[in-house]
Amino acid sequence: MRCAIISDIHGNHEALTTVLEDIRQKGIKDIFCLGDIVGYGADPSGCLAEICGLTDMITAGNHDHGAVGLLDLSSFNLNARKAAEWTGKKLNAREKDLLKKLPLFLNPFVQGEKFIMVHSTPNRPEAWQYILSLDEAEYQFEKFSERLCFVGHSHQPVFWECDPHGKCSIAGREYVHLEKDRRYIINVGSTGQPRDGDPRASYAVFDRERMEVTIRRVEYDIYSAQEKIIRAGLPARLAERLAIGI
Ligand code: ZN
């Protein structure tokens, strides 16, 4: 059984629909979404409708909370704040309600094993911290007991691995075979605003039988997504960064 895990769509409908088509072509039916459906991009309603029509396995992201008043925007940089305010004005009451009700994490059974899915970190997800170093990964591994945790938030795909002695390393950034005696925190990257220097949309395919996770990168119509951002009056920087993937 394979499932797709996507994160950080950020109102980028062009990236989302291209990723969903890639998932469909692979014959994958089960989709999980790790939050930040909205914020930055110019099509929050389109993205919300699209993803909620396909799955209810969705966690909240900080930008989802920022757009609906659940998070103080002073923690956002100027462009993120402007985009959150713009998004808040665009969403209707029903859409806002949908975002407000998203859980902070999911703990689904996938073929008899429980996994964690969370936007930021397994420990205190509401603090919206990032896992960017081995020390931070090591700390997070101590805070959950499951073998596998999927995250987003940094917009950079990476596989953190923890050996039986609690020692952490990076097991890769594109593909990993999951060893039985190890635990993993897997960052699936961002569909709508990648920040690892590769502008292609990112998502993960998890093959539970083979115990493999593969990061898929998909080219999409960046130009149309940029045009929409400019037309909406959102900061130009939010359009520019899509072309360079930072
Ligand atoms: Zn994000």
Side-chain angles (χ1 to χ4, degrees), residues 22-72:
D22 197 62
I23 293 170
R24 197 189 63 76
Q25 279 180 12
K26 287 184 166 298
I28 297 173
K29 300 243 164 18
D30 291 324
I31 300 173
F32 297 86
C33 175
L34 306 182
D36 276 5
I37 300 170
V38 305
Y40 294 133
D43 199 346
S45 300
C47 291
L48 203 52
E50 195 86 48
I51 196 67
C52 292
L54 286 174
T55 181
D56 55 3
M57 299 300 271
I58 304 172
T59 67
N62 51 326
H63 287 259
D64 302 321
H65 278 191
V68 299
L70 289 179
L71 184 63
D72 181 359

Side-chain angles (χ1 to χ4, degrees), residues 115-116 141 144 146-151 158-163 169-172 176-187 211 213:
F115 300 107
I116 295 194
F141 273 116
F144 69 101
E146 288 81 352
R147 203 150 60 100
L148 205 49
C149 172
F150 289 94
V151 300
V158 61
F159 308 125
W160 305 101
E161 183 183 82
C162 184
D163 76 9
S169 58
I170 290 178
V176 69
H177 180 264
L178 306 170
E179 305 297 335
K180 276 203 175 71
D181 62 345
R182 281 152 201 249
R183 298 166 65 224
Y184 297 88
I185 297 173
I186 292 172
N187 193 315
M211 289 310 277
V213 182

Side-chain angles (χ1 to χ4, degrees), residues 8 10 36 63 119 153 155:
D8 296 274
H10 283 293
D36 276 5
H63 287 259
H119 182 69
H153 198 36
H155 299 205

Side-chain angles (χ1 to χ4, degrees), residues 28-165:
I28 297 173
K29 300 243 164 18
D30 291 324
I31 300 173
F32 297 86
C33 175
L34 306 182
D36 276 5
I37 300 170
V38 305
Y40 294 133
D43 199 346
S45 300
C47 291
L48 203 52
E50 195 86 48
I51 196 67
C52 292
L54 286 174
T55 181
D56 55 3
M57 299 300 271
I58 304 172
T59 67
N62 51 326
H63 287 259
D64 302 321
H65 278 191
V68 299
L70 289 179
L71 184 63
D72 181 359
L73 295 180
S74 62
S75 62
F76 282 17
N77 67 41
L78 184 61
N79 285 344
R81 195 158 72 231
K82 281 183 181 168
E85 284 162 358
W86 180 92
T87 303
K89 285 184 199 136
K90 280 274 159 190
L91 296 172
N92 64 35
R94 192 191 58 81
E95 292 165 333
K96 284 186 182 173
D97 205 42
L98 239 157
L99 289 176
K100 281 180 186 171
K101 285 182 179 156
L102 293 176
L104 281 173
F105 68 91
L106 295 168
N107 207 189
F109 266 109
V110 180
Q111 289 193 342
E113 187 172 353
K114 252 187 176 183
F115 300 107
I116 295 194
M117 306 219 173
V118 62
H119 182 69
S120 54
T121 53
N123 182 52
R124 296 188 62 234
E126 73 284 0
W128 308 114
Q129 288 164 330
Y130 293 90
I131 306 171
L132 298 171
S133 69
L134 288 172
D135 281 351
E136 284 157 354
E138 222 162 272
Y139 177 77
Q140 292 297 329
F141 273 116
E142 289 170 7
K143 304 294 178 184
F144 69 101
S145 57
E146 288 81 352
R147 203 150 60 100
L148 205 49
C149 172
F150 289 94
V151 300
H153 198 36
S154 74
H155 299 205
Q156 297 174 346
V158 61
F159 308 125
W160 305 101
E161 183 183 82
C162 184
D163 76 9
H165 309 289

Side-chain angles (χ1 to χ4, degrees), residues 79 193 199 222 225-227 229-230 235-246:
N79 285 344
Q193 195 199 73
I222 291 175
Q226 289 178 310
E227 258 198 340
I229 287 172
I230 299 297
R237 173 76 188 136
L238 299 179
E240 288 158 18
R241 67 188 302 177
L242 293 182
I244 40 179
I246 56 165

